[in-house]
Amino acid sequence: VADMYGVYIKTDRVESWLKNGFSFEDDANLGIQTAYIYHHQNSFFGNRLYKGTQHSYYFNALFRKAWEEDTHTFDAGISSQGDMYNEKVRFNESSNILNYSLNDISFGAYAQYTLSLEDMLSIIAGVRADYDTEFKSFVTPRLNIRYAPHEFTVLRAGIGKGYRTAALLGENNYMLSSAREWLYNDKDVYSQESAWNMGGSIQQTVGNTGLSINAEYYHTKFLNQLVLDTDRSVRQIFAANTDNESYANTVQIEASYRFKGLDITAAWRWNEAKQTLNNELRQRPLVSRYKGLLAISYQTPLKTWQFDANMQLNGGGRIPTTIDNPIEYQRNTSFGSYQMYNAQITKWFRNWSIYAGCENIGNYMQEDAIIAADKPMSNYFDGTMIWGPLMSRKFYLGVRFSLEQ
């Protein structure tokens, strides 16, 4: 049928790893880590196709030496990581299949010094240098400090730089579930992102009352970032690795209370994530500006029953403009806040338990999530404007067994 629309995603993944360690005299240790991952995805979104294969390996050899009862610790090592990509994409039935591949292999060495003064002060300073076959050489420093002026207060602060290889198609192939035209340069199909991250936190325990409060703030400044611009045109996606202004601020406050079998956790997080889109610094679309959580768990004194309930608050956010669509296919430029409620009851026995619960108790769902769902092969179709839940209320029942050793 010409107007039938289907989505098919099949993923095959294999992971293997090996770890080994050796201990020597004088508090010296040598550790070796290796890993291999195979990931293959075969998919189509309507008349658009995506097939990708990735082979990845990781090797790390770490030497550690401590002295003066672990007051001073020195770590040094070498590592190598490789990612081999092979991807195919077809944007519509009349276009050719595009092939992209990359063999990205890096070799690096690192060193780290740790100063630990009992439980009061800890300072970790490290640096690593890498050579990448695709992105050449780069240096990554970091510094972390932990200070506990007394047993009920812990202060933390840190700063560091990071790099990441971004794969445009592999990480964003879900965007193929839209009729938008993709515009990008081949050099940006595989690109390197870089950013500075800095921030700190304070953790305060209120005596022996069982109450603990934690507050943290982190700022990420992107030097290079792969950006997908869906604001410039409702018919196109502009993708590029750019050095335009882009950053993220995160503030989180969390309080937890534990008394006998009762656990209560309340948390609130504020997110300010901004990117330069069409020469304008704007809030990232389809991302909630804040989130909240209230979780309550109670276990009876004999540990035979457990009751869990939580409420998740999701704040509003921005939606890319659809003003150029016909009226019936236009959407608001923002979405409001909404709540999700979940609950579960567990009955414990000696070696097994039975549990029942409900997710999305309030049955909240995003309305009209797919634009032009009645005409999936039209130029207006867009299934990527998702900001809320798409699954209705769900009940479940399960049994859990514990085998004695």
Side-chain angles (χ1 to χ4, degrees), residues 256-300:
S256 60
Y257 176 73
R258 292 173 174 80
F259 179 74
K260 295 184 178 180
L262 177 65
D263 288 345
I264 301 175
T265 299
W268 180 83
R269 172 181 289 182
W270 173 72
N271 299 303
E272 182 189 36
K274 290 194 173 184
Q275 298 173 326
T276 300
L277 303 172
N278 196 19
N279 297 320
E280 181 182 352
L281 187 63
R282 307 190 66 184
Q283 188 80 14
R284 281 187 59 189
L286 308 175
V287 176
S288 294
R289 288 189 175 91
Y290 60 87
K291 291 180 178 291
L293 171 69
L294 176 61
I296 301 175
S297 177
Y298 176 71
Q299 192 174 67
T300 56

Side-chain angles (χ1 to χ4, degrees), residues 186-203:
D186 287 348
K187 68 179 181 64
D188 292 322
V189 172
Y190 305 106
S191 56
Q192 188 180 59
E193 295 182 324
S194 60
W196 282 96
N197 180 263
M198 60 200 74
S201 67
I202 177 172
Q203 180 179 342

Side-chain angles (χ1 to χ4, degrees), residues 24 35 53 97 113 170 199 302-304 310 322 370 402:
F24 306 100
T53 301
I97 294 179
Y113 168 74
L302 297 179
K303 298 183 179 181
T304 55
N310 67 70
T322 54
I370 300 177
S402 176

Side-chain angles (χ1 to χ4, degrees), residues 7 9 47-48 57 80 84 98 153 159 174 178 210 214 228 246 271 283 289 294 311 337 352 367 373 382 394:
V7 175
I9 301 175
N47 56 18
R48 297 184 163 193
Y57 79 85
S80 177
M84 284 63 76
L98 302 177
T153 304
I159 183 172
Y174 70 94
S178 164
N214 184 78
L228 272 64
S246 180
N271 299 303
Q283 188 80 14
R289 288 189 175 91
L294 176 61
M311 183 275 289
S337 62
W352 63 286
E367 297 181 356
D382 195 339
K394 181 174 72 174

Side-chain angles (χ1 to χ4, degrees), residues 37 54-57 81-85 102-106 165:
I37 298 175
Q54 179 180 353
H55 298 270
S56 298
Y57 79 85
Q81 181 167 334
D83 294 292
M84 284 63 76
Y85 301 92
L102 176 72
N103 294 326
D104 183 24
I105 300 176
S106 65
T165 300

Side-chain angles (χ1 to χ4, degrees), residues 52-71:
T53 301
Q54 179 180 353
H55 298 270
S56 298
Y57 79 85
Y58 175 73
F59 170 82
N60 180 47
L62 168 67
F63 174 78
R64 170 171 292 182
K65 168 67 176 175
W67 60 94
E68 293 186 14
E69 298 182 351
D70 295 335
T71 299

Side-chain angles (χ1 to χ4, degrees), residues 200-212:
S201 67
I202 177 172
Q203 180 179 342
Q204 180 67 52
T205 301
V206 184
N208 297 314
T209 63
L211 176 63
S212 178

